[in-house]
Amino acid sequence: MKYLSPKLLADAIGVSESSLKRWADEGRLAVERTAGGHRRIPLGEAVRFLRQSGMRAVRPELLGLPAGSVGKRRDVTGRESATERLIDALLEDRAADARSLIVSLYTEGAPLGWLLDGPIRESLSHVGGLWEHGAAGVFLEHRATETCSRSLAELRSLMPPAAPDAPVAVGGSYAGDVYHIPPAMVALVLAEAGFQERNLGPDVPVDAMLAAIDHYRPRLAWQCFSIPPASEREAAQDLERIVRRLEGGSLVIGGKASHSLPLLPGVGMVPLGSMTELAAFARGVLAGVEVGTAGTLGVGREGWTGT
Ligand code: B12
């Protein structure tokens, strides 16, 4: 975990060091002390403070965050939606701007589910439609995927570490599914909720998934289906095996190709449609609330009008 001095954080936000120390003394910002008595702020706490206070990092590079020009451009126009700005940056090969936009939306307070289900998913969906128009569309799609993956890793580095006794969640994409962004998104949402996440990535053989469950004894497991499995019937049986192995934990299932799986509705198998639903479900599990499906939680897509 990275630690910041009050001076560094003050410079990054563009406020005086004395204001920052005052906020710390008032308890608005949690600080730790070095052996010599100096204040130090964990990066995750600095990000929490930014998200809650609505302040912006004017010099994000001081916090180790990507610095692009997107923030400035938004101030001038104020009109374009976050998705439109992200699509522009991805298609114009301005990777630094795209990463800066994603991270600054988060540090400015955008709900994680909104950011993942909205701008990131919608931009990838737009860019993903271009492959039909030739090779240039394909390389742009690959570039966009890399840029978004990197942003997800950057967001992950901003999450405070999970408590050592926090429940574990383990999962990945189902065997044969090469898509790596959905499992990374799931891991991010679960980390933000407070789980110790163990993302196994794309194309996880079911036996490896079962071995990971034996190893980690997770409270929650997940399987992503972005492409239809070779056999839907076999996949449904594999999911049953995973649920049984969880011995009371929940198996969350999602992704574009998950809807047609012949799932036997039963205790422990939870199909969900979005990262927003997953965030609500994860919070419920950690709060010890008995929940069946997202439908019973009454969750919807959170709106966010922070920009
Ligand atoms: C990136 C990408 C690729 C990359 C994948 C890189 C990688 N390793 O991850 C590459 C370039 C390899 C690729 C290849 C191909 N792709 Co592709 N790809 C995409 C693209 C652009 C984005 C997919 C993505 O990651 N989106 C981000 C995710 C997070 O969004 P999402 O899947 O919608 O997920 C949301 C929800 O479903 C839910 N969710 C998802 N998973 C889970 C899991 C849980 C537990 C929960 C709770 C929720 C949840 O939350 C998410 C966020 O809201 C899509 C475009 C699109 N419209 O999706 C095409 C797309 C999926 N690809 C497509 C195609 C056709 C292909 C190829 C066949 C192209 C080709 N001719 O070679 C190959 C096949 C690859 C293979 N081996 O199977 C088509 C699929 C068409 C179809 N009807 O099946 C799409 C839709 C593009 C299009 N418009 O035609 N692709």
Side-chain angles (χ1 to χ4, degrees):
M1 170 51 98
K2 188 172 167 180
Y3 285 87
L4 312 166
S5 68
K7 163 115 180 63
L8 188 77
L9 183 56
D11 288 348
I13 308 181
V15 297
S16 68
E17 191 181 346
S18 57
S19 301
L20 204 94
K21 285 181 172 165
R22 194 178 64 246
W23 296 333
D25 293 343
E26 289 167 1
R28 292 175 61 192
L29 182 66
V31 296
E32 294 175 18
R33 298 272 178 178
T34 62
H38 298 292
R39 297 173 183 85
R40 286 292 176 268
I41 303 131
L43 177 61
E45 169 61 9
V47 170
R48 184 206 60 76
F49 176 73
L50 283 173
R51 279 171 64 74
Q52 246 171 27
S53 65
M55 286 183 206
R56 298 182 62 188
V58 291
R59 294 185 60 197
E61 67 280 9
L62 293 180
L63 306 179
L65 305 179
S69 58
V70 175
K72 287 183 200 127
R73 195 169 143 219
R74 187 212 26 227
D75 285 346
V76 177
T77 68
R79 284 196 308 271
E80 291 176 330
S81 75
T83 303
E84 285 164 340
R85 280 180 282 134
L86 186 54
I87 290 173
D88 284 354
L90 292 172
L91 292 183
E92 291 162 16
D93 206 11
R94 291 184 283 111
D97 286 350
R99 288 168 41 219
S100 156
L101 174 61
I102 291 170
V103 170
S104 63
L105 284 166
Y106 184 72
T107 56
E108 285 167 28
L112 185 59
W114 173 88
L115 182 56
L116 302 175
D117 293 329
I120 299 180
R121 185 190 59 79
E122 286 164 11
S123 309
L124 280 172
S125 175
H126 180 89
V127 176
L130 300 177
W131 67 271
E132 294 178 72
H133 304 290
V138 175
F139 86 66
L140 284 170
E141 175 183 341
H142 282 243
R143 275 287 289 161
T145 308
E146 281 313 301
T147 302
C148 289
S149 273
R150 194 157 166 198
S151 298
L152 297 183
E154 278 159 348
L155 291 177
R156 183 70 187 80
S157 73
L158 302 180
M159 309 282 162
D165 58 348
V168 174
V170 65
S173 296
Y174 181 70
D177 182 337
V178 298
Y179 284 78
H180 64 231
I181 291 193
M185 283 187 174
V186 171
L188 198 54
V189 167
L190 295 176
E192 192 194 48
F195 278 93
Q196 301 191 57
E197 58 81 7
R198 299 287 182 268
N199 180 14
L200 308 178
D203 193 7
V204 186
V206 69
D207 286 338
M209 186 66 199
L210 294 171
I213 290 171
D214 291 342
H215 181 77
Y216 293 117
R217 300 263 148 231
R219 171 93 59 92
L220 191 151
W222 77 87
Q223 288 281 270
C224 301
F225 289 84
S226 293
I227 51 170
S231 156
E232 293 197 328
R233 221 170 52 88
E234 231 172 79
Q237 286 167 356
D238 285 342
L239 295 176
E240 289 290 331
R241 288 170 70 200
I242 293 174
V243 168
R244 277 198 301 276
R245 193 67 68 93
L246 279 168
E247 293 175 351
S250 304
L251 172 62
V252 174
I253 301 149
K256 273 198 270 292
S258 64
H259 311 293
S260 57
L261 293 173
L263 300 179
L264 297 174
V267 178
M269 185 100 70
V270 188
L272 296 173
S274 68
M275 296 300 148
T276 302
E277 289 182 6
L278 176 65
F281 179 76
R283 282 195 295 267
V285 171
L286 287 178
V289 179
E290 277 302 317
V291 278
T293 67
T296 61
L297 291 168
V299 291
R301 184 164 149 183
E302 287 171 67
W304 189 67
T305 50
T307 47

